[in-house]
Amino acid sequence: MGIKAELNRQQILETADGLFYRQGYDHTSFTDIADAVGIARGNFYYYFKTKDEILSAVISKRSENARQTLQEWDKEFPDARDRLKRYIQTLTQHKDAIEQYGCPLGSLCTEMAKLQHSQQDDANKLFEIFRNWLVEQFSLLGHKNDAVQLALHLQARTQGVALVTNAYRDQAFLQNEAKDLEDWVDQL
């Protein structure tokens, strides 16, 4: 694939990722993506043959982005407690999008489960990337025996905060819960 073709492919992926988040996978058509990118539908098939192929590429892209973000946090914050707080701060950093659409990770996994989609397990692996990283952080704080439970608790709590914020359109709730979670991390 040439440079222009690779740029087009990346643009399709970014556009599809955004549409899947805002509209949902099931409610996003090939035509929606092609129109948003500005590529004729016939030319679109050069890059992706099916919507499931795009979904697979989007999940891979999200996985790569998640790993890269976590590596950056590991470098930027020498203390595991600060890294955990940075994880929590993603709620407030993305509060507008969460209020309107929920969590991109949680909403994708939920939709794949509802659809009983063949890529549900692949989508769920996105959660595993974060869970494994969280386990490592709690272990570094001396919680080796309960690191998995603490990681799942934090994941469940942040997902719940995103869900309730989206349902009630309540950013004040999100900010209060994020602060409460940071205080919880400080008390560990």
Side-chain angles (χ1 to χ4, degrees), residues 30-163:
F30 249 42
T31 303
D32 293 334
I33 300 166
D35 288 349
V37 174
I39 294 176
R41 191 161 177 209
N43 294 339
F44 196 85
Y45 292 105
Y46 171 76
Y47 303 100
F48 296 99
K49 304 293 184 227
T50 66
K51 192 166 84 166
D52 282 352
E53 212 176 281
I54 297 172
L55 176 63
S56 180
V58 164
I59 291 171
S60 292
K61 178 182 178 288
R62 286 187 184 188
S63 295
E64 181 182 316
N65 289 345
R67 285 185 184 94
Q68 182 179 356
T69 295
L70 296 175
Q71 287 173 356
E72 288 170 7
W73 291 352
D74 287 344
K75 290 176 187 173
E76 185 177 349
F77 302 100
D79 183 64
R81 191 175 314 276
D82 292 334
R83 290 191 292 269
L84 288 169
K85 287 181 181 181
R86 181 63 187 95
Y87 173 82
I88 294 163
Q89 290 164 1
T90 59
L91 289 170
T92 54
Q93 181 182 1
H94 301 286
K95 65 184 183 291
D96 293 335
I98 289 171
E99 179 185 27
Q100 192 162 4
Y101 307 111
C103 171
L105 194 68
S107 59
L108 178 67
C109 291
T110 300
E111 184 176 14
M112 294 296 103
K114 285 180 184 177
L115 295 172
Q116 297 180 346
H117 196 280
S118 63
Q119 293 189 50
Q120 178 182 350
D121 289 340
D122 294 331
N124 289 346
K125 287 178 185 171
L126 290 164
F127 271 129
E128 290 176 24
I129 292 168
F130 287 100
R131 185 192 65 211
N132 293 337
W133 181 83
L134 289 168
V135 167
E136 182 181 331
Q137 305 316 306
F138 285 114
S139 293
L140 289 169
L141 288 177
H143 295 277
K144 291 186 191 314
N145 293 336
D146 58 350
V148 172
Q149 193 61 35
L150 290 168
L152 289 173
H153 172 76
L154 184 53
Q155 260 190 321
R157 185 98 182 263
T158 54
Q159 284 301 305
V161 168
L163 176 70

Side-chain angles (χ1 to χ4, degrees), residues 95-102 159-174 177:
K95 65 184 183 291
D96 293 335
I98 289 171
E99 179 185 27
Q100 192 162 4
Y101 307 111
Q159 284 301 305
V161 168
L163 176 70
V164 171
T165 299
N166 176 246
Y168 290 112
R169 303 286 199 245
D170 188 350
Q171 286 188 22
F173 168 78
L174 180 146
E177 289 297 305

